[in-house]
Amino acid sequence: MATQMRSARLTTRAAAEAYVGGVCFKLGPPRLIGAELEWLTTTRDGGRPRPADLAAALGPHAPTSVDPDSPAHPLPSGSTVTLEPGGQIELSSRPLASAEELCAALDADSRRLRSLLDRAGIGTSDAAADAGRPAERILPAPRYRAMQQWFDRIGPFGRLMMCNTTATQVSVDAGADAAEVAARWTALYAVGPALLAAFACSPRLRGIPLGDWASQRMRAWFELDRGRTEPPPLTDPIGDYARWALDAPLLCVRGGCGRDSDDWSLPVEVRFSDWLAGDLDSVIGRRPCRADLDYHLTTLFPPVRAAGHLEVRYLDAQPRSRWHVPIAALAALLGDPGTVSEATALAAGTTGRWRDAAECGLRDAELRTAATELLDLAASVSRSFAEELAGAAGRCRRGRTVTEEADR
């Protein structure tokens, strides 16, 4: 039945918008938090490991992208392993009830993951951007080939993002009802620029055009394709996100357009809504189904993405395993409706200043103040991370990046 539902054709825009609203914002009391951690990988001679070597190192935990026959078992604490196009390795937690449980599980699984890789001579780096190697894609999947072809039309940023950057991503429940979804969505976008600045630590990225940016990783995201990476409208999250998603550029079509089934690229630049309206009948040969729309949603990369839960994507990977600090900060700031409201108010002056945050980071006085106040608030309500959050607030108050603090 589920397969039949996903293969059902979308007949109207209204039906497609309703579908997006339902799958992107799962309603229920906010209880769970999850995270994804990423690392650059390297061979002993500084190159990129081969997919086969990664598969051998990971054994039964290898993702099917490098071993189609792998059972892809989770690591002992429940995290799954995936790979990014340039060989970056990603650890995705299972949803857990608290930041404390989440960080403990990720800590255990990250140690296990690094041990498996170390035994095979594959090193990991927690740098958020690769400053030494040119961007090189090692995974041949049709999705990544189509992405690279699309982004290369625009500039170097897409290939750099795909192959040479890493992030700390945090996922939280959307909310119990439309009002709570709106409050939590608004808060995550409001605090975003300040927290981006607070945890920016990628000033160098090989191949990036000249420019002094605190987060070259986020610079790459913002420049690679603005139609799919710019923040969507904030007035009505559920309705506005659906409209934005349908009007976002169509990146690829799974299975191809009647030509080579491994070539998912598009010969024309169109929106998903154009496909829905029948404008591509002569190009693709069919109208989209729900599964096509599900896939399209995975090719959208705003700073916060709706994926049933709310996925925060604006945080750089953190040096010296300090990823638990931004996880704890977001968990604390979203801990209850009162704190959500207070955090939104504290960040009001810097809401929308995404590019300033990526470029200037804590050099910007207004962003520095907002980051400090938000982390102070998080420290005041956190049960287990108060000392570390207070330390992060003090670091921001002094205008020091997380890398500068880690190197002390």
Side-chain angles (χ1 to χ4, degrees):
M1 181 63 73
T3 301
Q4 292 177 343
M5 290 282 290
R6 295 185 73 242
S7 63
R9 297 290 178 215
L10 296 164
T11 56
T12 67
R13 180 175 178 123
E17 289 182 6
Y19 179 74
V20 172
V23 299
C24 287
F25 298 91
K26 301 292 187 183
L27 300 182
R31 297 184 301 105
L32 302 174
I33 183 169
E36 298 177 4
L37 307 178
E38 297 174 342
W39 296 270
L40 301 171
T41 58
T42 181
T43 58
R44 288 192 176 98
D45 62 2
R48 297 178 193 266
R50 298 180 307 166
D53 293 334
L54 288 163
L58 295 169
H61 308 294
T64 56
S65 59
V66 291
D67 180 2
D69 298 322
S70 172
H73 290 319
L75 291 166
S77 293
S79 306
T80 56
V81 181
T82 54
L83 288 168
E84 295 298 314
Q88 309 97 307
I89 201 154
E90 178 179 277
L91 198 60
S92 300
S93 78
R94 58 191 176 93
L96 290 163
S98 69
E100 294 86 350
E101 293 177 67
L102 173 62
C103 290
L106 282 172
D107 187 54
D109 281 346
S110 64
R111 289 198 304 269
R112 175 61 176 157
L113 175 64
R114 290 189 184 213
S115 175
L116 291 171
L117 295 172
D118 286 345
R119 292 178 193 172
I122 298 172
T124 56
S125 167
D126 52 18
D130 195 328
R133 300 177 298 186
E136 178 187 359
R137 179 170 57 88
I138 69 166
L139 295 185
R143 171 187 173 96
Y144 296 137
R145 185 163 63 249
M147 288 178 70
Q148 181 175 309
Q149 291 173 1
W150 175 272
F151 293 141
D152 282 351
R153 302 175 191 172
I154 301 170
F157 299 99
R159 191 178 297 208
L160 288 168
M161 174 279 295
M162 292 171 63
C163 303
N164 278 29
T165 65
T166 62
T168 300
Q169 297 181 13
V170 183
S171 294
V172 296
D173 285 328
D177 53 34
E180 188 168 40
V181 169
R184 290 166 69 83
W185 176 268
T186 300
L188 287 173
Y189 268 99
V191 306
L195 292 186
L196 191 170
F199 296 103
C201 57
S202 53
R204 291 177 296 281
L205 173 59
R206 178 168 173 172
I208 201 86
L210 292 177
D212 183 16
W213 289 61
S215 178
Q216 297 284 10
R217 183 190 74 87
M218 282 305 296
R219 177 191 183 187
W221 275 110
F222 289 141
E223 295 294 344
L224 65 90
D225 185 355
R226 297 186 182 186
R228 74 182 68 250
T229 64
E230 290 281 358
L234 295 175
T235 305
D236 168 23
I238 297 176
D240 287 344
Y241 192 85
R243 287 184 282 275
W244 172 82
L246 293 180
D247 288 331
L250 184 62
L251 189 148
C252 62
V253 174
R254 291 185 307 161
C257 301
R259 308 183 309 277
D260 181 353
S261 62
D262 287 331
D263 181 3
W264 294 9
S265 62
L266 286 163
V268 292
E269 296 186 11
V270 292
R271 304 171 299 171
F272 188 91
S273 55
D274 296 327
W275 187 12
L276 181 66
D279 294 351
L280 303 178
D281 287 354
S282 62
V283 176
I284 299 177
R286 62 178 179 85
R287 301 287 175 91
C289 63
R290 290 181 177 182
D292 293 313
L293 182 49
D294 288 338
Y295 197 81
H296 172 67
L297 294 171
T298 72
T299 69
L300 306 181
F301 309 110
V304 181
R305 182 164 69 182
H309 51 271
L310 306 182
E311 183 182 86
V312 177
R313 305 177 58 85
Y314 48 67
L315 299 166
D316 280 358
Q318 298 295 287
R320 310 282 175 86
S321 298
R322 299 193 177 197
W323 44 262
H324 57 281
V325 181
I327 291 174
L330 284 167
L333 295 175
L334 294 176
D336 62 79
T339 307
V340 168
S341 178
E342 187 174 354
T344 303
L346 285 175
T350 55
T351 299
R353 295 189 58 198
W354 293 102
R355 291 175 184 274
D356 292 338
E359 182 172 6
C360 301
L362 296 173
R363 300 192 304 267
D364 183 286
E366 192 175 22
L367 286 162
R368 184 170 65 249
T369 297
T372 302
E373 292 179 348
L374 286 168
L375 290 168
D376 277 334
L377 172 60
S380 73
V381 299
S382 177
R383 294 181 299 173
S384 302
F385 298 96
E387 183 176 350
E388 291 160 294
L389 289 166
R395 171 182 63 77
C396 291
R397 190 175 288 110
R398 296 188 295 274
R400 295 178 63 84
T401 69
V402 65
T403 305
E404 290 170 338
E405 200 78 359
D407 289 342
R408 288 181 61 181

